[in-house]
Amino acid sequence: MWVKTQACRVLGDLFATVDPAAVAARRISPAAAAALLDAGGVAARGVAPAAADDRVAALGRDTRRLLLGTLLSEDLAVQVVKNLVFLGRCLLAAEPDAPPPAAANPGDDAAAVPATKSPLLALYRSISFMARGDVGSLRRPLLRRSAFQWLGAMTSFIPPARCGPFLVPALAVLYRASEDTTIKGNPIVEQLPQLAKEVMDVLHRHAGSDAYLAAYNIVTSAVRATRDERRLKRKIEAVADPAATARRKQRKAEKRKEVGKRNAAEAARRRALGVGGSAYFKKVRTGQPGGGKKDRSVA
């Protein structure tokens, strides 16, 4: 994990010397371009040469996967968010003036969403979906917090007139987190609903009421439809197969108990280490130092 953290910091130092607009316009030096575009090991893996935008998008995918690591640390998470903000700005600079189409169903799996010509929108969708799922995993709270921070920081760089399509995947995960009243037992987990609300407020102020409310209505309608469908399915199952319903309830009870144990163990470990659970959103956006360490902002 130390190696991954240091590698991300080296990339952050490189990104700090490069203008995202210059990357999109191919106006950086050959040496910097080679270092940037091959930072993800594209050439080493034997992948055929691709357009710069495609290779930056590939580096973004490789970078976001670091958040899925089982040994994800605070320092690595903060640096990954900063690197993803830079890569997102590179993709934004290469975007056409016309906004990409919004997702028809914000609840779709990222892998099931039809391919889009916007690498930035694809990155939004993948990070949004990645931040959902089993919230009981020990790595998931830090992953979700990092995703929320990136969504807020990255959207603030997008011109308000072009924010609309990107708000839908962002709100798809933020809205669900803000409405979740069941998560507890871990300092980071307990702060996720409040962080989600803060990021939603930032998106609202930045994009304006019209664009924000349009995306918000799409998301809430999809959430209600999904919940109604699941509720109806459970009622039908309870009548058709009572035994299966009893087994499902027992599995949920056992899962809740296991999640509680893991969260309690994680909270005890963090207290022993003296690690706080404060959000880094403002520090990532403004480039302030985090955790008392040297600032390695890429902005």
Side-chain angles (χ1 to χ4, degrees):
M1 186 54 61
W2 180 87
V3 174
K4 291 183 178 180
T5 303
Q6 296 305 313
C8 283
R9 286 176 174 170
V10 170
L11 279 177
D13 291 338
L14 170 64
F15 294 162
T17 66
V18 179
D19 179 11
V23 175
R26 284 70 165 176
R27 291 197 303 266
I28 55 179
S29 67
L36 171 62
L37 299 180
D38 287 332
V42 175
R45 293 197 299 266
V47 179
D53 296 344
D54 294 338
R55 300 175 78 177
V56 171
L59 180 55
R61 291 192 295 271
D62 289 342
T63 301
R64 71 169 175 80
R65 290 191 187 103
L66 292 173
L67 296 175
L68 295 172
T70 56
L71 299 178
L72 180 65
S73 65
E74 295 267 359
D75 291 342
L76 177 58
V78 171
Q79 190 61 54
V80 166
V81 172
K82 292 180 178 181
N83 290 357
L84 283 173
V85 169
F86 172 83
L87 295 171
R89 293 176 63 192
C90 293
L91 296 174
L92 174 63
E95 288 275 325
D97 292 336
N105 184 356
D108 287 341
D109 185 326
V113 174
T116 174
K117 294 183 179 179
S118 170
L120 180 58
L121 182 57
L123 185 60
Y124 262 79
R125 292 176 179 176
S126 61
I127 290 180
S128 174
F129 182 78
M130 189 173 67
R132 296 164 56 188
D134 182 12
V135 298
S137 172
L138 288 180
R139 71 172 182 249
R140 189 65 62 172
L142 189 53
L143 183 158
R144 299 181 82 202
R145 191 189 72 182
S146 301
F148 296 171
Q149 293 165 353
W150 182 83
L151 290 170
M154 185 61 232
T155 305
S156 64
F157 284 103
I158 302 176
R162 299 171 59 188
C163 278
F166 304 99
L167 292 176
V168 174
L171 291 176
V173 64
L174 293 172
Y175 173 76
R176 288 175 172 85
S178 68
E179 296 292 310
D180 193 346
T181 59
T182 63
I183 52 179
K184 58 183 178 179
N186 182 309
I188 297 181
V189 173
E190 293 173 351
Q191 293 176 3
L192 286 177
Q194 182 59 34
L195 175 61
K197 293 176 182 178
E198 292 175 0
V199 176
M200 290 171 69
D201 290 340
V202 170
L203 301 186
H204 192 175
R205 291 195 300 268
H206 178 71
S209 295
D210 291 343
Y212 180 86
L213 292 178
Y216 184 86
N217 290 335
I218 293 174
V219 170
T220 54
S221 297
V223 170
R224 284 195 299 268
T226 300
R227 290 174 179 172
D228 290 344
E229 181 180 353
R230 290 175 179 172
R231 189 178 299 112
L232 177 60
K233 183 178 179 181
R234 286 194 297 267
K235 289 180 179 179
I236 295 175
E237 184 183 75
V239 175
D241 193 348
T245 302
R247 289 194 299 269
R248 179 176 59 81
K249 290 182 177 180
Q250 183 178 1
R251 286 196 301 269
K252 289 182 65 176
E254 293 173 352
K255 184 177 180 180
R256 282 196 298 268
K257 183 183 295 186
E258 184 63 26
V259 168
K261 291 180 179 179
R262 290 201 301 262
N263 284 339
E266 174 68 8
R269 183 187 71 84
R270 293 174 64 80
R271 284 195 300 269
L273 295 175
V275 179
S278 60
Y280 283 82
F281 166 68
K282 292 183 179 179
K283 293 180 180 180
V284 170
R285 174 63 181 88
T286 61
Q288 298 176 19
K293 298 182 181 297
K294 180 181 178 182
D295 179 28
R296 295 182 180 275
S297 172
V298 300

